[in-house]
């Protein structure tokens, strides 16, 4: 059974209470008989776009996280690869960006951090059609791909960046990307980030984003080094 419950602020969080939710997905990738995407709060244009691609019923992790993510709450979610987590964070993120207006040069509004280029490509390919339908600009930023193309896209302006930490940190150092307007940040597969030694870079990137912005963390585990990031 999926669990979703509010987490109180920790004593060391100071005066700024962060509204958080923790969600745990069951060990299944099947779509169930639960609420529809519309009942989770997604606007009709988004549910219609999903239906055209054959997606009509949410996965369990989507049911657990979408309402709180849409409301702007921080979310910690334990979910394994293949559980449907890309749309769990992607749908509410895109919905919240829908009225963002024109993209600004080098100043994205949202960020998805992933540990590998292959995963970055998968996330980008899953979200790009939905972003396009909302007239939102999305860019894949990862090592092993043309940096000049990434620099040009950031210069022209994008709303959302899907990135690996190393390449993004490099672009930030070069002045090609400024994260100070990022108000929604997703850390995907945080356990793999920890295994690959990326947590210091992830922490530095998070420190450059809007301090009161929304944070969504997805991981197969929420302990060990991941707990330090949390």
């Amino acid at each position: 059974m999926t669990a979703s419950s509010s987490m109180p602020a920790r004593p060391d969080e100071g005066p700024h209470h962060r509204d958080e939710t923790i969600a745990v997905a069951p060990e299944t990738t099947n779509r169930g008989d639960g609420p529809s995407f519309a009942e989770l709060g997604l606007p009709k244009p988004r549910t219609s776009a999903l239906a055209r691609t054959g997606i009509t019923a949410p996965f369990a992790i989507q049911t657990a996280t979408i309402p709180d993510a849409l409301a702007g709450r921080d979310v910690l979610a334990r979910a394994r690869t293949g559980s449907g987590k890309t749309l769990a964070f992607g749908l509410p993120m895109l919905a919240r960006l829908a009225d963002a207006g024109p993209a600004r040069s080098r100043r994205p509004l949202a960020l998805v951090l992933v540990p590998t280029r292959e995963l970055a490509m998968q996330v980008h390919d899953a979200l790009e059609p939905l972003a396009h339908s909302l007239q939102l600009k999305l860019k894949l930023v990862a090592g092993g791909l043309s940096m000049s193309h990434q620099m040009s896209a950031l210069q022209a302006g994008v709303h959302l960046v899907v990135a690996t930490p190393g390449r993004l940190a490099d672009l930030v150092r070069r002045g090609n990307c400024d994260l100070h307007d990022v108000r929604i940040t997703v850390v995907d597969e945080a356990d793999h980030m920890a295994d690959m030694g990326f947590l210091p870079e992830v922490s530095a990137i998070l420190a450059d984003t809007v301090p009161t912005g929304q944070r969504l963390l997805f991981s197969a585990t929420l302990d060990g080094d991941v707990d330090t990031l949390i």
Side-chain angles (χ1 to χ4, degrees):
M1 180 176 180
T2 299
S4 180
S5 59
S6 296
M7 295 174 62
R10 293 182 294 275
D12 60 353
E13 285 181 318
H16 300 291
H17 173 76
R18 295 193 68 90
D19 198 10
E20 296 175 327
T21 291
I22 184 164
V24 181
E27 294 298 314
T28 178
T29 57
N30 295 326
R31 298 184 188 274
D33 298 323
S36 66
F37 282 110
E39 290 170 328
L40 294 179
L42 285 175
K44 187 174 181 179
R46 304 288 65 74
T47 59
S48 298
L50 287 171
R52 287 194 294 271
T53 65
I55 301 174
T56 57
F59 283 125
I61 192 61
Q62 295 161 5
T63 299
T65 59
I66 284 176
D68 290 307
L70 278 172
R73 305 182 78 193
D74 288 352
V75 173
L76 310 176
R78 192 173 74 205
R80 59 190 176 87
T81 301
S83 62
K85 56 190 172 66
T86 299
L87 291 185
F89 61 73
L91 290 172
M93 177 174 56
L94 293 174
R96 297 193 67 213
L97 291 173
D99 299 321
R104 296 180 61 190
S105 176
R106 302 191 307 276
R107 298 181 76 96
L109 299 177
L111 171 64
V112 179
L113 287 173
V114 295
T116 67
R117 179 181 66 220
E118 290 74 22
L119 181 58
M121 294 171 69
Q122 291 174 27
V123 172
H124 174 274
D125 291 348
L127 298 185
E128 200 281 331
L130 298 170
H132 181 75
S133 71
L134 291 169
Q135 297 183 316
L136 293 171
K137 295 182 179 180
L138 178 153
K139 184 59 182 176
L140 170 64
V141 168
L145 303 174
S146 171
M147 180 176 280
S148 61
H149 289 169
Q150 295 166 12
M151 292 166 60
S152 296
L154 291 167
Q155 176 67 33
V158 297
H159 297 94
L160 167 63
V161 173
V162 178
T164 53
R167 174 55 62 89
L168 179 63
D170 195 8
L171 289 167
V172 170
R173 283 191 296 267
R174 292 167 178 260
N176 300 115
C177 185
D178 187 324
L179 302 177
H180 290 96
D181 286 350
V182 172
R183 62 194 194 209
I184 306 172
T185 305
V186 177
V187 180
D188 191 17
E189 301 214 359
D191 51 322
H192 290 161
M193 293 274 202
D195 293 341
M196 298 173 71
F198 285 140
L199 291 193
E201 287 178 313
V202 171
S203 296
I205 288 168
L206 288 172
D208 279 345
T209 66
V210 176
T212 56
Q214 183 183 26
R215 310 284 174 81
L216 302 98
L217 184 146
F218 288 74
S219 180
T221 62
L222 296 177
D223 53 11
D225 289 338
V226 176
D227 184 55
T228 302
L229 180 62
I230 292 170

